[in-house]
Amino acid sequence: MSKKIRIDKLLAHMGLGTRSEIKRAVKLGKVTFAGKVIKDSGLIVDSETTEVAFEGTPVVYQELVYFMLNKPQGVISATEDGRERTVIDLLEPQDRLREPFPVGRLDKDTVGLLLLTNDGQLAHELLSPRKHVAKTYEAIVQGKVGEDDKQSFAAGVALDDGYMTMPAVLEIREYEMRENEVFSSIALTIMEGKFHQVKRMFEAVDKTVVYLKRAAMGPLKLDESLPEGAYRELTNEEIELLRSHKRAAQ
Ligand code: URA
């Protein structure tokens, strides 16, 4: 449905900067409407217009949605699958209409923070291997995780395919005995996202992850009040945090 919208609001909504950055861009002549440089960042346009351009690139308004899901076990991080239930199946029908997709993948048995959005530009920045967005996982690991593992992860370990991981920060939280075996509760922050990376890092030090949860991605933290399987829209503050993180990483 079309509506009337200020051009600076339209551009900010599409992630091209804060309202004041957009105002500056307008002053610098970077914004055009119908091929003409605009002078007034408060210009009212139709939201369905295709005539707005920023630095020469057309900008088309799209209602952007951002959901934080506490992913449960047993669903896959995909938009469609012939056999398995996907994270999109957990959304209300009206929330599926804007076609959000998961930003990155968590394994079927991993729980925790998953961002779902239709903001392709933001997703691309968060997933870009060049941006080294930090991801924090909490895990229960079979075996006694120790200082030697902390040092190995800080230095980088070789995965099963020979890939050397980037320095990662391991925090050991507590130990628990289960049927005469030691299990360790840990948190691990990694700056990359190789396939099954956390599980494979522990395999590299001869240990097995038995429970894995993502607690944070960049500046976004899992809302612990969300039960597994539940989701909510991001707050404006959370969206701005993600966007400023993206800008800072450029
Ligand atoms: N590392 C893993 O091993 N699995 C995940 O789901 C995420 C990170």
Side-chain angles (χ1 to χ4, degrees):
M1 203 182 47
S2 89
K3 56 182 180 186
K4 298 292 173 201
I5 185 170
R6 285 173 60 113
I7 201 162
D8 56 355
K9 199 165 173 203
L10 181 150
L11 292 165
H13 179 85
M14 295 310 293
L16 291 157
T18 59
R19 290 282 278 280
S20 50
E21 285 165 346
I22 303 288
K23 282 203 174 78
R24 225 171 302 136
V26 167
K27 279 208 181 103
L28 293 171
K30 293 182 175 179
V31 180
T32 56
F33 181 71
K36 289 201 180 73
V37 170
I38 64 156
K39 299 249 157 53
D40 177 10
S41 53
L43 181 74
I44 306 285
V45 296
D46 190 288
S47 61
E48 285 182 1
T49 179
T50 52
E51 302 271 36
V52 178
F54 187 85
E55 293 180 339
T57 306
V59 180
V60 180
Y61 184 79
Q62 188 196 9
E63 203 67 65
L64 297 176
V65 288
Y66 303 87
F67 299 117
M68 173 191 294
L69 169 72
N70 186 353
K71 180 191 169 296
Q73 288 192 335
V75 293
I76 61 166
S77 305
T79 46
E80 285 182 11
D81 193 273
R83 287 175 306 130
E84 308 263 17
R85 244 162 56 98
T86 74
V87 288
I88 301 299
D89 295 328
L90 300 173
L91 301 182
E92 297 291 336
Q94 73 269 21
D95 290 334
R96 280 184 224 148
L97 293 177
R98 299 274 169 205
E99 303 188 335
F101 56 86
V103 179
R105 281 168 190 272
L106 291 179
D107 297 338
K108 189 173 169 185
D109 61 355
T110 300
V111 300
L113 176 64
L114 191 64
L115 174 64
L116 303 167
T117 183
N118 56 359
D119 183 341
Q121 211 188 340
L122 183 81
H124 176 76
E125 299 286 337
L126 288 171
L127 294 175
S128 164
R130 287 182 298 111
K131 298 287 158 75
H132 304 311
V133 173
K135 280 144 296 226
T136 299
Y137 293 88
E138 294 172 353
I140 299 178
V141 179
Q142 187 172 19
K144 184 159 186 177
V145 178
E147 287 302 316
D148 47 341
D149 299 318
K150 241 188 201 179
Q151 280 165 23
S152 302
F153 286 180
V157 288
L159 300 184
D160 45 14
D161 57 2
Y163 175 80
M164 279 301 288
T165 57
M166 288 174 56
V169 179
L170 175 62
E171 180 197 328
I172 302 165
R173 293 190 168 163
E174 59 181 18
Y175 299 116
E176 186 194 334
M177 292 301 290
R178 288 188 197 170
E179 291 168 6
N180 284 334
E181 264 201 88
V182 184
F183 288 79
S184 314
S185 287
I186 64 94
L188 178 64
T189 301
I190 58 177
M191 310 296 282
E192 51 195 341
K194 300 283 168 210
F195 187 58
H196 298 323
Q197 180 157 346
V198 176
K199 292 173 185 166
R200 289 162 74 212
M201 284 176 75
F202 279 99
E203 271 164 28
V205 293
D206 295 322
K207 296 179 181 74
T208 308
V209 172
V210 296
Y211 168 85
L212 188 59
K213 168 179 167 180
R214 181 153 64 191
M217 181 176 190
L220 194 63
K221 294 199 169 38
L222 177 66
D223 178 346
E224 296 287 348
S225 72
L226 277 179
E228 281 177 20
Y231 70 99
R232 66 157 170 81
E233 280 197 51
L234 292 196
T235 62
N236 287 338
E237 289 74 28
E238 286 169 332
I239 295 171
E240 192 41 45
L241 266 179
L242 282 176
R243 287 182 163 179
S244 45
H245 189 75
K246 178 191 115 182
R247 284 196 290 274
Q250 274 168 353

